[in-house]
């Protein structure tokens, strides 16, 4: 038995060595493409065998609430100020302005329909066609962006861009009809024009960061990079862009005074973040108050690591983006499957500039797994992918924080040793 075990261990060792040599010879992006291709084909095969349209397991409530993030928001925005005072919308005025524009392409009879008639949009062919065309344009534009910014051969660039728009978080985002897709595009442009040699490209990036902030608010944290890099003039301009985009659209919804109501709506929604905490408490068999305290304390720890990351990882911007996104995902009210789509940004950065070795293997795998469509559901509310976001966020933040602490310790230790050596040289006669 011992001999058999020894041979098996040796065979496994040789196998992984072969895999390692293969990956070193290939573009590291092929790992992402291979995992995604295998996962997607497996998913399609399983549900082709099962039949009965059960492939909808991936989506929210098995598509019983199809596209309603879009259609509900269009109906709300069409009501003007009542969107905030009556329907208690949490989106900033810029997002509602875009939904208001969309409402002009949808019949007024649907825009003014009652809440219990919200699912009647399939009766309006113009409503269906507009959403399909609007989404198609955004998907193709994001595909083109990824294809442009991804390095490698033509086949690798196409394969990566294909699976950048054909994955679990992205498909879930399309099914919900969430404006997060537009926010992702804007943040992507900011990320990949940040260090551009052309000033006008960097300015477009600043406009995109301000725009993404005015859609979802939390992208504002990535303006920290400008301050950390002492690009104060750009930070001021970005702030001005953001304030203009935030305040000007508010005049269509009651004026700047409406922000008081928006703050109340957001506070009420954030308290509803207990839904996420309830899931964690239920599966962990822990009291809700304990989960709540630990959760927000951990978010604070992650935020501190993100704050110092620009100085620790100057040559690894992908890691600062990853820590920032992981911190956002750790906030209970923001933990979501479609939110994981933002990890395409650090994933592309990592695969563009580094080879897969050491911890990079781990980071690539952790960021990739939630993108792979997984069959079946955990329960009536959560798909397997939606549930997987919780442990993946926990693991990613734990490893990222640990990595940051170790890097900080080594940096401080190196400085002390360097100072000791300089003092020793100075004391020599």
């Amino acid at each position: 038995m011992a001999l058999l075990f020894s041979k098996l261990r040796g065979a496994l060792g040789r196998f992984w060595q072969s895999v390692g040599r293969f990956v070193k010879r290939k573009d590291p992006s092929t790992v992402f493409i291979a995992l995604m291709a295998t996962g997607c084909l497996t998913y399609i095969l399983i549900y082709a065998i099962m039949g009965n349209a059960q492939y909808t397991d991936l989506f929210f409530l098995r598509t019983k609430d199809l596209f309603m993030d879009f259609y509900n928001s269009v109906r709300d925005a069409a009501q003007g100020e009542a969107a905030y005072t009556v329907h208690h919308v949490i989106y900033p005025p810029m997002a509602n302005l875009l939904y208001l524009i969309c409402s002009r392409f949808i019949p007024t009879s649907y825009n003014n329909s009652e809440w219990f008639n919200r699912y009647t949009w399939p009766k309006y062919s113009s409503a269906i066609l507009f959403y399909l065309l609007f989404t198609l344009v955004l998907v193709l534009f994001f595909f083109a962006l990824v294809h442009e910014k991804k390095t490698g051969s033509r086949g690798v660039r196409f394969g990566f861009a294909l699976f950048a728009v054909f994955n679990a978080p992205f498909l879930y985002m399309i099914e919900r009809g969430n404006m997060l897709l537009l926010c992702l595009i804007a943040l992507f442009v900011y990320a990949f024009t940040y260090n551009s040699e052309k000033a006008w490209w960097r300015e477009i990036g600043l406009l995109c960061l301000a725009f993404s902030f005015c859609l979802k608010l939390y992208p504002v944290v990535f303006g920290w990079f400008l301050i950390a890099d002492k690009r104060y003039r750009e930070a001021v301009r970005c702030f001005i862009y953001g304030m203009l985009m935030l305040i000007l659209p508010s005049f269509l919804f009651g004026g700047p005074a409406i922000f008081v109501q928006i703050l109340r709506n957001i506070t009420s929604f954030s308290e509803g973040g207990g839904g996420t905490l309830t899931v964690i408490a239920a599966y962990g068999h822990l009291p809700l108050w304990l989960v709540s305290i630990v959760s927000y304390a951990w978010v604070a720890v992650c935020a501190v690591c993100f704050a110092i990351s620009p100085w620790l990882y100057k040559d690894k911007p992908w890691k600062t983006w990853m820590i920032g996104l992981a911190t956002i995902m750790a906030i209970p009210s923001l933990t979501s499957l479609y939110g994981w789509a933002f990890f395409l940004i650090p994933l592309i950065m990592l695969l563009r500039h580094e080879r897969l070795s050491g911890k990079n293997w781990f980071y690539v795998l952790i960021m990739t797994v939630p993108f792979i469509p997984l069959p079946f559901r955990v329960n009536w509310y959560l798909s397997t992918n939606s549930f997987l976001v919780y442990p993946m966020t926990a693991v990613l933040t734990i490893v990222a924080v640990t990595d940051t602490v170790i890097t900080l310790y080594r940096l401080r230790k190196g400085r002390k040793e360097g100072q000791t050596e300089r003092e020793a040289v100075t004391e020599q006669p």
Side-chain angles (χ1 to χ4, degrees):
M1 181 63 70
L3 180 61
L4 179 62
F5 178 76
S6 177
K7 289 183 177 180
L8 180 61
R9 184 174 61 181
L12 286 174
R14 289 190 295 274
F15 170 76
W16 286 115
Q17 287 177 359
S18 300
V19 171
R21 288 193 296 270
F22 174 80
V23 171
K24 288 180 180 179
R25 292 196 304 268
K26 298 291 184 179
D27 186 321
S29 300
T30 56
V31 174
F32 176 82
I33 296 172
L35 289 173
M36 289 300 305
T38 303
C40 289
L41 289 175
T42 302
Y43 188 92
I44 293 171
L45 180 61
I46 288 175
Y47 286 107
I49 295 172
M50 293 176 61
N52 199 28
Q54 294 186 61
Y55 72 93
T56 56
D57 279 347
L58 175 65
F59 303 108
F60 182 67
L61 298 181
R62 291 191 174 94
T63 69
K64 292 180 180 178
D65 196 54
L66 187 65
F67 304 146
M68 290 314 295
D69 277 8
F70 177 79
Y71 287 112
N72 281 336
S73 298
V74 166
R75 289 172 58 259
D76 290 337
Q79 309 310 310
E81 185 178 351
Y84 294 107
T85 58
V86 177
H87 300 281
H88 304 291
V89 168
I90 64 171
Y91 297 139
M94 175 59 76
N96 264 344
L97 170 60
L98 296 178
Y99 283 124
L100 180 62
I101 294 173
C102 291
S103 72
R104 307 304 298 170
F105 296 89
I106 295 175
T108 304
S109 56
Y110 177 75
N111 292 334
N112 295 330
S113 62
E114 297 294 334
W115 172 255
F116 53 81
N117 287 325
R118 64 190 183 280
Y119 291 121
T120 59
W121 61 264
K123 296 180 180 180
Y124 303 93
S125 57
S126 58
I128 300 172
L129 185 61
F130 178 77
Y131 176 74
L132 292 177
L133 292 175
F134 177 71
T135 304
L136 179 62
V137 169
L138 293 182
V139 170
L140 290 177
F141 185 66
F142 186 69
F143 175 91
L145 280 176
V146 175
H147 188 270
E148 172 66 24
K149 294 301 177 181
K150 185 69 190 74
T151 56
S153 65
R154 184 180 299 179
V156 168
R157 292 168 62 196
F158 177 83
F160 195 98
L162 174 64
F163 288 115
V165 299
F166 194 80
N167 57 67
F170 211 88
L171 293 174
Y172 189 90
M173 191 191 321
I174 293 173
E175 182 273 326
R176 296 309 304 135
N178 198 286
M179 196 63 78
L180 202 70
L181 176 53
L182 196 54
C183 183
L184 170 61
I185 291 173
L187 207 56
F188 188 95
V189 173
Y190 167 68
F192 287 95
T193 58
Y194 184 80
N195 290 317
S196 175
E197 296 178 356
K198 297 180 179 179
W200 62 276
W201 265 121
R202 295 198 302 271
E203 206 65 24
I204 290 175
L206 298 180
L207 286 166
C208 286
L209 175 61
F211 182 63
S212 64
F213 158 68
C214 292
L215 291 180
K216 290 294 182 179
L217 297 182
Y218 53 80
V220 70
V221 301
F222 298 107
W224 176 246
F225 298 153
L226 295 170
I227 298 174
D229 290 339
K230 298 182 180 180
R231 292 161 59 169
Y232 301 125
R233 291 183 179 180
E234 292 177 73
V236 170
R237 291 203 303 274
C238 188
F239 174 79
I240 293 172
Y241 297 151
M243 288 301 98
L244 290 174
M245 292 184 193
L246 190 67
I247 294 173
L248 291 180
S250 70
F251 288 98
L252 295 171
F253 303 97
I258 202 65
F259 286 106
V260 176
Q261 182 63 46
I262 295 174
L263 183 61
R264 291 173 184 163
N265 297 344
I266 292 175
T267 302
S268 176
F269 177 81
S270 297
E271 291 173 354
T276 297
L277 299 178
T278 301
V279 170
I280 298 173
Y283 280 93
H285 302 288
L286 298 169
L288 183 59
W289 64 267
L290 178 61
V291 173
S292 181
I293 292 174
V294 172
S295 178
Y296 285 107
W298 184 243
V299 170
V301 172
C302 294
V304 171
C305 290
F306 170 67
I308 64 175
S309 65
W311 289 280
L312 293 180
Y313 306 117
K314 289 184 179 181
D315 58 338
K316 296 183 177 182
W318 67 267
K319 192 167 282 189
T320 59
W321 275 91
M322 183 193 70
I323 296 173
L325 291 169
T327 301
I328 291 172
M329 288 293 291
I331 300 173
S333 59
L334 298 179
T335 309
S336 64
L337 176 57
Y338 46 39
W340 199 270
F342 284 107
F343 281 101
L344 284 168
I345 295 173
L347 194 57
I348 293 174
M349 288 180 172
L350 191 162
L351 295 175
R352 281 182 69 183
H353 301 295
E354 298 193 29
R355 308 299 295 181
L356 292 186
S357 60
K359 291 190 295 291
N360 288 354
W361 263 108
F362 172 83
Y363 286 126
V364 167
L365 291 175
I366 288 296
M367 286 191 284
T368 299
V369 168
F371 283 103
I372 303 172
L374 300 174
F376 313 119
R377 297 181 71 84
V378 175
N379 53 40
W380 67 274
Y381 185 77
L382 283 173
S383 67
T384 305
N385 283 92
S386 295
F387 176 78
L388 193 63
V389 166
Y390 297 104
M392 291 297 102
T393 299
V395 172
L396 185 58
T397 53
I398 290 171
V399 175
V401 168
T402 303
D403 194 9
T404 301
V405 171
I406 293 174
T407 302
L408 181 61
Y409 170 77
R410 288 175 177 173
L411 183 63
R412 290 175 62 87
K413 183 179 179 181
R415 287 179 177 176
K416 288 181 179 179
E417 290 176 352
Q419 183 178 359
T420 302
E421 291 177 359
R422 287 192 297 270
E423 290 176 353
V425 171
T426 304
E427 292 175 357
Q428 289 179 358

